[in-house]
Amino acid sequence: MALAEPYVAPALRGRFGRTRRRTRWSSVSHVDQIAIGALVAVTLLAVVTPWIAPHSATRPAGTSLVHPFHGFVFGTDEVGRDVFSRVLYGLRTSWLAALLVIASGVLIGGLIGLVAGAAGGWIDNVLMRITDAFLSLPGPILAIAVVAALGPSLSHTLIAVMIVWWPFYARIVRGEVRALAARPHLEAARLAGVGRVRLAVRHLLPGAIPATVVTASLDVGNLVLTLAALSFLGLGAPAPAPELGAMAARGLPYLLEQWWVPVMPGLGVLFLALVSNLAGDGLRDLIGDR
Amino acid sequence: MTFTSVQPTEVASPRSPSAPPLVTIEGLHVTFERGGRDVRALRGVDLSIAPGEILGVVGESGSGKSVLGLSMLGLLPTEPPPRLEGSIEVCGVDVVHADDDTRRRLRRRHLGAIFQDPMTSLNPTMRIGRQLAEVAGTEAEAVRLLDAVGVPEPKRRLRSFPHELSGGLRQRVMIAMAVAGEPSLVVADEPTTALDVTVQAQILELLGHLRDELGCSFVLVTHDLGVAAQVSDRIAVLYGGRIAEVGAAADVLERPAHPYTVGLLRSRLTLQARRAGPLPTLIGEPPDPRAHPPGCAFAPRCTLHVDACDETLPDLVSAGGHPGVAACIRLDVPLAEEVALVDAWPEVEAVSAIEPAVRLTAVFKDFELKSGWRSKEVLHALRGVDLEVAEGESVALVGESGCGKSTLLRAIAGLLPIDDGAIALGPGARPQMVFQDAGASLTPWLTVGELIGERLRSEGCGRSERDRRVREALQLVGLPAEVAEAKAVQLSGGQRQRVALARATVVPPEVLLCDEPTSALDVSLAATVLNLLGRLRRELGMAMLFVTHDLGAARVVGDRIAVMYLGRIVEVGPAEEVASAPQHPYTQALLGAVPGVGAAARRTRLEGEPASPLRPPSGCAFHPRCSQAVDACHTDGPELVTLRGSSGHRVACGPAHAAGGWG
Amino acid sequence: MTQFVLKRLAAMVAVLLVLAATVFVLQRLTPTDPVHAMLGGNASKAMIAAEKHKLGYDKPMVAQYVDYIGGLLHGDLQMSLRTRRPVATDLGQYLPATLELTLFALVVAVVLGGLMGIATAARFRGSGVLRVVLLSAASAPSFLLAVLGILLFYRKLGWLPATGRSSVANVPTGPTGLLTVDGLLHGRLDVVTDAFKHLVLPGLCVGIGPAMSIGRVLRSSLVNTMRTDYVRTARAKGQRESVVLLRHAVRNSLGPALSMTGLQVGLMFAGVVVIEQVFAWPGIGLYTIQSIPRTDFPAIAGVTLVLGAGYVIVNAVIDVLQAAADPRIAL
C-alpha cells in the first residue's frame, strides 16, 4: 500500500521486431510461401525473358504443329513458332501489364481516397460521388468500348483498364482513412497542434497501407484474368505479338486436333493467376487480416 | 500438482450447507497458445458451487476470471484449442473430458449464460421472440419469461429485433434466455459492465430476485468487488490465474485475509475514500499471463513479500480471520493497518477569487443523424450548458451515457464547433485531453518520442531540446526514458495512460480535459492514475475538467462536482457537499446506485433508463423517471438556483426549489 | 420502399447518362470516320457530305449529344454500320440468348458458391489441398475452362454439344426468347432438354470463377461470424453446431457475399463475351466481337448501354436482398 508510488514499470512487450516478423512468416502456409517465391521468380524471369527464351516469339522455329515434347516442350503452332517461348513472352507481358495497372490503380485511387478521407466534408462528397459513378460502370464492358473506340493495341487496353480499375482503390483507402479518422488518435493529434498535411501523411496514411497492399495482392489475379480475357477478344497487341489470350483465341480452330495450341497459353494464364492468388493469401497472413 | 490441504467444499455455503455441490472444479489449468507463446489463463483452480448460491468471481484483467466462467460452460475459444488439465464437474458431467455433444446437452438442460455486451450477444438478424423460443420452447413461455425479467409489453417485444431495444432491455432479454428452461446454474460474465450505473443496479437486483424465485445457482464474474458485494453469497478472488481467497461475501469484504484482497478493497473508490491526499494504491501492474513468476504471482506487488514467496506457489489454507481459505504463506503476519497518510495535497486557494480557465455560457450542440433517405433525426447533445472552471480548479462532470458529457469536452477542446452559446478560454496554452482508451489515442505506428515531441514542433525548438523535454515529460509521469523508443502496442494499459498524460502535459495546458481516463483500467491501476493526475495538475498549475460516470471517482478528483442529465447541468457544487447531501433527485439516485461494499448498500433504485437525446422529454427532462415529479415538471424546465448559505451549490429542480432555502 | 425504388431509378438514369456521355465522347474520338467506314473507300465527297448531313454529323457537338440522348429516350440506338439495321433491332434479336446464359451462370455461381462457402466453413477450416483446388478453379481463365470442357465432354465423352444454343429443327418462338422457358411454355420438352444441354458447358465456364469468389468471401465471412458473441450465445443455449451455423451464422454472413455477387456480375459480362465466342453462342457478346474489327461503334455503344442498365438493375436487386437479410439496413 505504497503511498508516493514508486512506479514499477513492467518490461516493454515484444521489443524485437525481428522475432515478430519471423513468427508471422512461419504462420504463412507452405503452399503460399512457395507461391510468393514463384511470383518473385516470375518477376525476375519477366526481366530476363529475351535472354532465356529458347526461340524467337515471332519467327518460326521449326515445322508447324509439332506435338509437345517432340523437340519443343509445348510443341509448335500453326506457323511453326515455339509455343513455349511464346508463352514465356506472354507471361512477361501479362505480369508486367498487371503490375503496371495495379500500381496505377493504387497510386491514383490511393491519392484520391486519402484526400477524400482526410479532408472530409464536401471534398469527400464530390470525390466519392465521382468514384461511385466510375464504380457503377461495368468495368470490362467499358474497357471493351474504350478499346473499340481507340483501336486495338496493348497500350489502349491498359489505359482502358486503368480507367476502370482505380475507383476500387479510392474506396478502400478512403474507407480505411475514415475509419482511422474516427479513432481517438486523430483527435489527439489534432489537439497536439499537428497540421493538416502532416496529419494525413503521418497519422492516417500509414494505417491505410496494409489493407491496400493486401487488397492489391489479392486483386492481381483478377487483373491477370481480365487482361487475358480482353486479349482473347482481340483487344490487345496486334497479330504476331505473343499475348496469352490472343494466342488461345487464334489457336481455337486447332482445338480438336492440335489441342496444345490453344491450351498451353491458357495454362500459362492459369499458372500466373493461381500463383498470384496464393501469394496474395500469403501476403494477407503476413501483413495481417484485411 | 498437490491438492490443497483444505478442501474448498469445506467452505460452508449459507444456502444449503448439506447438499452436494453443483459444480466441483479441481486443479484446473487452462493454457492457450498465442503467437507461439503459452498464455496460462488458469493455473490450478479449486472451487465448488452449492445449489442455489451466488458465487462472485472477482479479478482484474488477465486474472482468468472469464476463462473460469467459460470453462464451466464448456465454451472456451477453440482456435487454437486450449490445453486443459484437472477436472470440472458440472451437474454430474465431466466437462473437461466429455464429448461436444454431451457438453451441448449439459448446456441445453442445466446451464444458462449472460455475457457482457448485450448488443453483440444477441443475434442482430433474428427477432427476440425466435431467439427466446429456441430455449423457452413456446411463445407463451417466452412472454412469461420476458415479463418475469421486467420487460414491459412482452408480447409486443417478441416481434422486435435487438437493435430496437435499449441496452438495459437487451440485457434483460439475455437474462430471460439464460433462465429459460429452469437451469441449475447461470454463468454471468460481467453482466453489468456495459450498462449505465442506474441500470446496473436494476440488473443486479433482478439477478438476486431470480435466484430467490428459481433456486438456481449463479456465477457472477466481475472486475468490481462492489458489484460482487451487492448480491453474492460467497466471493472468490482470482489473481494471476489462481484463487487468492474464497469465503462468505461478508467475511471477504470485512475481514479480508489475502494481501491482494486487502489492497483491492483499499484502492476501491468509495464514497468514503480520502480526498485530502493521494489514494492508497497497489504498486505495479497485474502480471502478464504469458510470463508468470515462479512463486506467488502477487509477490512483486506485495508489502508482506519475503524470499520464500518467490519460490513456491502458495496453497489455499484456512484464512484465519474468517472460515474461508486464502492462498498466502504470510497469513500469520498481521497486515499493517493502513499506512498513516501523512502526504496531503497542498491547499488550493479559494475558487471565487481567480479568473476562470473555462467559461461556458448557454452552450448548445445538435447532431444530425441520417435515418434513411432524406429523413433526418436531430440528437440534442447539449441543451444549454453553463459551467465555469476556475484557474487551477478541478471540476468533475458526472453523468450516464448519452448525457452529453463527452460532447462537452470535445467542444471545449475545439474538436467540435458548437451551435449556440459561448466557450471562453483562459489566456494559457490550448486545452489538452486525456482519452478513455489511452491506447487508441496514440498513433500506433509512431513512437512515443515522436508523439510527445510533436507538440513541441510548433514551439520551434530544436531536436536535442525536443528530446530533452520528452525525457522530462516521461520522467514526470514515472516512465523511464527508453519508453520514448517504444510504440503503443509494446506498452501496458497503465503505461499507455501515462504516455497520454506526458503528451498532454509536455507543454502544460491551461486546462486538462479528462474523458473517463480510468474507466478502462483495472481497479488497482485506477487509483494510481488518479493520484498522478492529482499531483500533475497541482504541480503544473492546470485546471482540470474530469468526465466520469462514477460519483466515487468524481468526489475524489473534483474540487467541485457537476451532474449532467440529457444535455444539461442539473446540479453543481462543492464535491463533498454534492456527494454527501445531493439535492437533485437524479444525483440522489446516482448516489444510490453506486455499488457499495458495506451493509448500507441497498438504497432506492431508479426506474427506467435515461431518455433518448433524440427526443428529450418536455419540461425537466428527468421528470419521467423522477419520484418527486409534480405536474409543473412536465412543462417547466427549471433553472440552476443557488442553495442559500452554501458556497455555490446550485440545483435545477422545481420541487426542490419550492421546498425553500433557495435563491 | 417506394423511396428506395425511386432512388434506384434516379441512380440508374444517372449511370446511364454518364455511360451515354462516355460512349458519345468515345465515338467522337474514334480515329476512323464512321461514314467513311459505312460507305466504303470509293464514296465521293458529295455522297459522304450528304450522308453526314442525314445522320446529323455536321451539327455542333452539344446538339449532337442532345440528339443522341433524345434518340436514346425513343429507343433509338442508331444504325449499326455492319448489319445496316437499327442497333435496337439487333439487340432485341441477340439479347435473349445472352440473358439465358447469364442467368444460368448466375444461378451456377450463387448455388455453387453458397454450397462451397458453407461446406468449407463448416468442416475444412483452412484445409490446404481443397483450398488450392478451389483457387485453381477460380484462377482459370474462362476460355481455358471452355476449351478443356469441350475436349473432355464433347470430344472425349460426347455428352454435351460444343456450339450454339439448340440443335432442334423448329424451335418455338417467343414470348421470352429464353429457349428453356419458351420450350416449357409450348410443352416442348425436347427443346427444353436440348437447350439445357447446350447451356451446361458455357454456363459452367462463365459461372465457376464467380462461384469460387463468392464462396471464398462467404467462407471467410462465416468464419468471422462463428467467432461472434451471439454465436457463443447460441452455443450457450445448447444448440447443435449445424443449427448454430445454418440458423444463426448464415444470415449474418450474407452481406459481404452479396456485395461480391454484385461485383462479380460486372466481371461475368466479360466472361460471357469470351464464352459466346468460343461456343459460337448467338448472343450480344458474339455481336460485340464481330462489331469490333469493323469499328461498328453504334453497335458497341448500344451493347455498353444495355449491359450497364443490367448491371445497375442487378445491383439494386442485391441491395434489396441485403436489406432483407439484415433488419438493421433500412431501404
Side-chain angles (χ1 to χ4, degrees):
Chain A
M1 315 309 102
L3 255 193
E5 47 219 287
Y7 179 65
V8 184
L12 297 182
R13 295 180 192 161
R15 297 188 62 169
F16 309 104
R18 193 164 294 169
T19 25
R20 262 180 62 217
R21 196 130 311 147
R22 198 180 306 145
T23 51
R24 281 275 177 88
W25 175 247
S26 68
S27 75
V28 175
S29 86
H30 291 295
V31 180
D32 295 347
Q33 290 181 4
I34 296 169
I36 292 176
L39 214 53
V40 173
V42 167
T43 313
L44 292 177
L45 279 181
V47 177
V48 298
T49 302
W51 292 279
I52 59 159
H55 298 281
S56 157
T58 46
R59 283 189 310 278
T63 45
S64 63
L65 300 171
V66 176
H67 275 262
F69 302 111
H70 287 74
F72 299 93
V73 195
F74 286 3
T76 61
D77 66 6
E78 67 276 16
V79 287
R81 291 173 297 202
D82 175 29
V83 174
F84 181 68
S85 300
R86 282 175 66 76
V87 167
L88 272 187
Y89 274 98
L91 280 176
R92 163 189 159 103
T93 316
S94 286
W95 182 231
L96 295 182
L99 285 185
L100 185 70
V101 174
I102 286 283
S104 75
V106 168
L107 282 181
I108 302 170
L111 188 67
I112 291 178
L114 178 65
V115 170
W122 67 268
I123 299 178
D124 182 29
N125 255 326
V126 169
L127 286 178
M128 279 304 113
R129 287 295 83 75
I130 294 173
T131 307
D132 278 349
F134 273 92
L135 212 54
S136 60
L137 305 174
I141 296 303
L142 193 69
I144 291 175
V146 170
V147 175
L150 301 179
S153 94
L154 184 58
S155 49
H156 288 166
T157 306
L158 291 186
I159 290 171
V161 177
M162 281 176 192
I163 290 173
V164 297
W165 222 262
W166 67 265
F168 187 52
Y169 288 92
R171 273 245 156 255
I172 300 258
V173 172
R174 189 251 176 202
E176 289 287 315
V177 166
R178 289 313 289 171
L180 285 171
R183 273 176 47 108
H185 88 245
L186 201 84
E187 282 192 339
R190 274 172 64 195
L191 269 179
V194 179
R196 297 203 94 162
V197 174
R198 189 177 160 84
L199 215 56
V201 175
R202 294 279 280 163
H203 292 266
L204 289 175
L205 185 60
I209 287 175
T212 314
V213 170
V214 168
T215 310
S217 65
L218 290 172
D219 201 25
V220 175
N222 285 335
L223 191 55
V224 166
L225 290 178
T226 303
L227 289 175
L230 292 177
S231 158
F232 183 88
L233 297 175
L235 301 175
E243 271 187 42
L244 298 174
M247 284 161 66
R250 277 181 226 113
L252 271 188
Y254 307 93
L255 173 62
L256 295 184
E257 302 307 326
Q258 290 85 25
W259 55 269
W260 61 91
V261 183
V263 167
M264 288 305 181
L267 289 178
V269 178
L270 170 65
F271 166 76
L272 194 55
L274 181 59
V275 166
S276 15
N277 276 332
L278 289 171
D281 276 3
L283 216 56
R284 181 183 55 194
D285 294 343
L286 204 61
I287 295 177
D289 204 10
R290 265 169 283 183
Chain B
M1 171 75 219
T2 54
F3 286 106
T4 52
S5 50
V6 177
Q7 285 300 313
T9 44
E10 287 174 24
V11 182
S13 157
R15 289 272 150 182
S16 35
S18 54
L22 191 71
V23 178
T24 312
I25 297 172
E26 281 174 357
L28 180 64
H29 289 249
V30 178
T31 310
F32 297 96
E33 204 186 295
R34 291 277 181 278
R37 290 182 68 183
D38 279 353
V39 177
R40 306 191 59 196
L42 291 179
R43 306 185 298 144
V45 168
D46 302 311
L47 199 63
S48 69
I49 300 168
E53 78 164 340
I54 299 185
L55 173 73
V57 174
V58 179
E60 295 179 280
S61 60
S63 64
K65 57 185 189 303
S66 291
V67 171
L68 182 61
L70 289 177
S71 57
M72 284 184 227
L73 292 165
L75 281 178
L76 290 172
T78 51
E79 296 165 59
R83 296 200 300 278
L84 272 80
E85 290 166 46
S87 75
I88 312 171
E89 201 185 296
V90 179
C91 304
V93 175
D94 178 353
V95 179
V96 174
H97 299 103
D99 58 48
D100 286 346
D101 207 47
T102 313
R103 282 201 288 238
R104 184 181 65 73
R105 281 200 302 269
L106 169 72
R107 291 196 290 269
R108 173 133 211 124
R109 288 202 199 119
H110 298 296
L111 303 182
I114 306 165
F115 298 117
Q116 174 171 351
D117 189 348
M119 180 77 233
T120 58
S121 296
L122 292 173
N123 187 337
T125 61
M126 200 188 269
R127 290 182 202 280
I128 301 295
R130 204 159 157 234
Q131 297 194 45
L132 259 169
E134 281 193 324
V135 263
T138 62
E139 188 171 304
E141 174 66 5
V143 172
R144 194 190 67 77
L145 283 166
L146 284 183
D147 194 45
V149 297
V151 172
E153 302 180 75
K155 257 215 156 78
R156 199 169 61 82
R157 289 298 179 201
L158 290 183
R159 302 280 305 152
S160 303
F161 286 103
H163 70 275
E164 294 163 348
L165 305 182
S166 68
L169 281 185
R170 279 197 286 258
Q171 196 59 302
R172 284 174 194 270
V173 171
M174 193 70 205
I175 292 172
M177 289 193 332
V179 299
E182 307 201 336
S184 315
L185 172 73
V186 174
V187 177
D189 188 358
E190 303 265 12
T192 60
T193 309
L195 304 176
D196 276 325
V197 204
T198 54
V199 182
Q200 159 170 300
Q202 299 164 6
I203 295 289
L204 287 176
E205 200 171 31
L206 173 64
L207 291 184
H209 279 313
L210 285 173
R211 190 270 307 270
D212 294 344
E213 275 170 34
L214 305 173
C216 61
S217 303
F218 277 87
V219 173
L220 177 63
V221 175
T222 174
H223 68 282
D224 186 349
L225 260 173
V227 166
Q230 298 283 293
V231 288
S232 302
D233 301 315
R234 276 196 310 147
I235 288 179
V237 180
L238 246 61
Y239 191 82
R242 291 172 63 83
I243 289 187
E245 182 166 4
V246 189
D251 289 340
V252 171
L253 298 169
E254 284 155 30
R255 292 186 293 280
H258 196 285
Y260 173 60
T261 318
V262 176
L264 209 52
L265 278 165
R266 284 188 189 163
S267 52
R268 260 181 61 80
L269 294 171
T270 62
L271 292 168
Q272 288 76 41
R274 140 192 156 103
R275 296 183 65 238
L279 298 159
T281 60
L282 281 165
I283 55 167
E285 295 190 19
D288 184 346
R290 291 174 297 186
H292 283 296
C296 174
F298 186 62
R301 306 174 73 182
C302 186
T303 46
L304 295 181
H305 166 256
V306 291
D307 288 348
C309 294
D310 297 330
E311 282 151 22
T312 50
L313 284 168
D315 287 326
L316 284 170
V317 294
S318 173
H322 62 80
V325 291
C328 179
I329 59 171
R330 303 270 290 160
L331 285 177
D332 50 326
V333 185
L335 208 68
E337 278 301 303
E338 240 172 280
V339 191
L341 299 163
V342 281
D343 248 17
W345 303 121
E347 275 298 308
V348 181
E349 298 135 81
V351 166
S352 56
I354 314 178
E355 276 295 295
V358 181
R359 174 182 282 150
L360 308 175
T361 329
V363 173
F364 283 84
K365 176 71 189 173
D366 291 346
F367 292 100
E368 281 190 347
L369 306 180
K370 274 199 174 169
S371 63
W373 190 47
R374 283 180 54 187
S375 60
K376 277 176 190 156
E377 282 191 292
V378 179
L379 188 151
H380 307 276
L382 301 176
R383 305 185 303 130
V385 176
D386 297 296
L387 188 66
E388 268 180 33
V389 182
E391 238 174 53
E393 186 200 22
S394 163
V395 173
L397 190 61
V398 186
E400 294 179 277
S401 61
C403 74
K405 54 192 194 298
S406 295
T407 307
L408 190 63
L409 273 200
R410 279 171 175 72
I412 298 172
L415 293 170
L416 278 179
I418 56 171
D419 297 336
D420 198 11
I423 298 178
L425 297 175
R430 182 178 179 184
Q432 289 296 312
M433 195 151 144
V434 180
F435 294 81
Q436 174 171 9
D437 185 352
S441 77
L442 304 174
T443 309
W445 46 86
L446 296 180
T447 66
V448 167
E450 287 173 304
L451 286 171
I452 299 176
E454 242 173 12
R455 284 205 59 215
L456 301 166
R457 291 171 70 88
S458 49
E459 309 234 316
C461 53
R463 182 160 215 153
S464 58
E465 165 78 1
R466 272 216 304 265
D467 288 349
R468 188 182 60 74
R469 291 184 62 178
V470 167
R471 276 200 306 279
E472 279 175 8
L474 285 173
Q475 198 185 5
L476 199 61
V477 297
L479 289 176
E482 70 190 54
V483 169
E485 306 303 319
K487 291 177 184 166
V489 281
Q490 295 165 270
L491 304 174
S492 70
Q495 286 172 319
R496 285 176 202 172
Q497 198 55 276
R498 279 165 198 267
V499 167
L501 257 176
R503 188 189 194 188
T505 56
V506 63
V507 182
E510 169 113 18
V511 54
L512 183 66
L513 309 167
C514 301
D515 190 3
E516 308 222 27
T518 56
S519 67
L521 293 179
D522 278 316
V523 187
S524 69
L525 286 179
T528 323
V529 170
L530 292 185
N531 284 350
L532 183 60
L533 277 171
R535 180 165 63 77
L536 279 179
R537 81 164 170 99
R538 288 175 173 91
E539 278 179 16
L540 303 175
M542 299 179 292
M544 185 159 89
L545 187 56
F546 186 99
V547 158
T548 176
H549 64 274
D550 178 1
L551 253 178
R555 180 183 153 277
V556 169
V557 167
D559 299 324
R560 287 192 300 145
I561 291 179
V563 181
M564 229 176 145
Y565 190 79
L566 233 54
R568 276 171 182 257
I569 306 273
V570 296
E571 177 161 6
V572 56
E576 195 68 85
E577 219 176 298
V578 171
S580 60
Q583 298 298 310
H584 196 283
Y586 177 63
T587 318
Q588 290 164 1
L590 271 185
L591 206 66
V594 173
V597 164
R602 297 197 179 253
R603 274 162 287 211
T604 48
R605 296 271 177 260
L606 191 58
E607 292 302 316
E609 295 180 47
S612 162
L614 290 171
R615 284 168 295 278
S618 62
C620 170
F622 186 62
H623 81 258
R625 300 175 78 191
C626 186
S627 57
Q628 297 160 34
V630 296
D631 286 348
C633 297
H634 297 239
T635 48
D636 306 337
E639 297 296 317
L640 279 169
V641 180
T642 310
L643 180 64
R644 223 176 283 140
S646 74
S647 53
H649 189 165
R650 308 203 296 159
V651 173
C653 175
H657 296 160
W662 302 85
Chain C
M1 191 63 205
T2 339
Q3 273 191 350
F4 173 79
V5 173
L6 286 176
K7 191 180 165 192
R8 276 292 148 175
L9 280 177
M12 184 161 145
V13 170
V15 167
L16 287 181
L17 278 178
V18 172
L19 258 184
T22 318
V23 159
F24 178 79
V25 170
L26 285 173
Q27 189 165 6
R28 304 301 130 157
L29 285 177
T30 314
T32 41
D33 187 329
V35 179
H36 272 290
M38 205 162 135
L39 297 178
N42 301 329
S44 72
K45 281 238 166 82
M47 280 170 70
I48 289 174
E51 190 69 24
K52 274 193 174 171
H53 182 74
K54 197 176 120 201
L55 292 172
Y57 282 126
D58 54 350
K59 291 191 197 168
M61 273 296 195
V62 178
Q64 286 188 37
Y65 180 65
V66 172
D67 281 357
Y68 181 63
I69 297 293
L72 287 185
L73 289 180
H74 293 100
D76 176 15
L77 293 168
Q78 298 183 323
M79 299 288 283
S80 161
L81 303 178
R82 181 173 64 89
T83 63
R84 313 268 163 147
R85 295 194 304 172
V87 171
T89 314
D90 283 347
L91 287 180
Q93 182 187 338
Y94 294 119
L95 193 58
T98 299
L99 200 61
E100 190 167 27
L101 177 58
T102 312
L103 286 177
F104 182 77
L106 192 59
V107 171
V108 167
V110 169
V111 171
L112 217 61
L115 288 178
M116 193 197 104
I118 292 173
T120 49
R123 282 191 206 95
F124 322 87
R125 253 164 227 171
S127 155
V129 178
L130 185 73
R131 187 174 68 97
V132 174
V133 170
L134 295 174
L135 255 184
S136 305
S139 306
S142 47
F143 57 80
L144 180 69
L145 290 176
V147 297
L148 293 179
I150 290 173
L151 283 177
L152 181 63
F153 293 104
Y154 170 71
R155 172 136 178 98
K156 255 242 145 54
L157 303 170
W159 291 355
L160 296 169
T163 51
R165 289 178 82 189
S166 170
S167 35
V168 179
N170 53 341
V171 176
T173 47
T176 62
L178 312 182
L179 289 184
T180 44
V181 179
D182 288 348
L184 274 179
L185 292 177
H186 287 88
R188 290 279 304 275
L189 279 182
D190 58 325
V191 174
V192 177
T193 44
D194 177 66
F196 187 74
K197 272 187 175 176
H198 280 84
L199 264 177
V200 171
L201 258 188
L204 279 175
C205 291
V206 175
I208 212 152
M212 297 303 141
S213 299
I214 294 166
R216 282 177 80 194
V217 170
L218 180 59
R219 173 185 175 275
S220 80
S221 172
L222 271 172
V223 167
N224 282 338
T225 305
M226 291 301 274
R227 292 192 192 121
T228 56
D229 288 355
Y230 54 86
V231 162
R232 185 175 63 180
T233 303
R235 288 188 175 131
K237 290 180 191 169
Q239 299 286 11
R240 280 173 206 286
E241 202 60 4
S242 54
V243 173
V244 171
L245 181 77
L246 295 176
R247 196 190 288 167
H248 289 271
V250 168
R251 186 171 169 189
N252 285 295
S253 310
L254 283 181
L258 284 171
S259 303
M260 181 45 101
T261 309
L263 206 71
Q264 287 295 327
V265 169
L267 295 174
M268 240 153 93
F269 289 151
V272 166
V273 179
V274 168
I275 290 304
E276 286 190 1
Q277 193 184 359
V278 180
F279 286 91
W281 190 268
I284 56 175
L286 205 59
Y287 178 68
T288 313
I289 288 307
Q290 288 163 353
S291 305
I292 291 175
R294 302 283 295 273
T295 37
D296 182 358
F297 207 83
I300 291 165
V303 170
T304 311
L305 288 175
V306 166
L307 292 186
Y311 187 63
V312 175
I313 292 170
V314 167
N315 278 291
V317 171
I318 297 261
D319 279 0
V320 173
L321 291 177
Q322 254 166 353
D326 190 341
R328 287 166 299 180
I329 300 176
L331 284 182

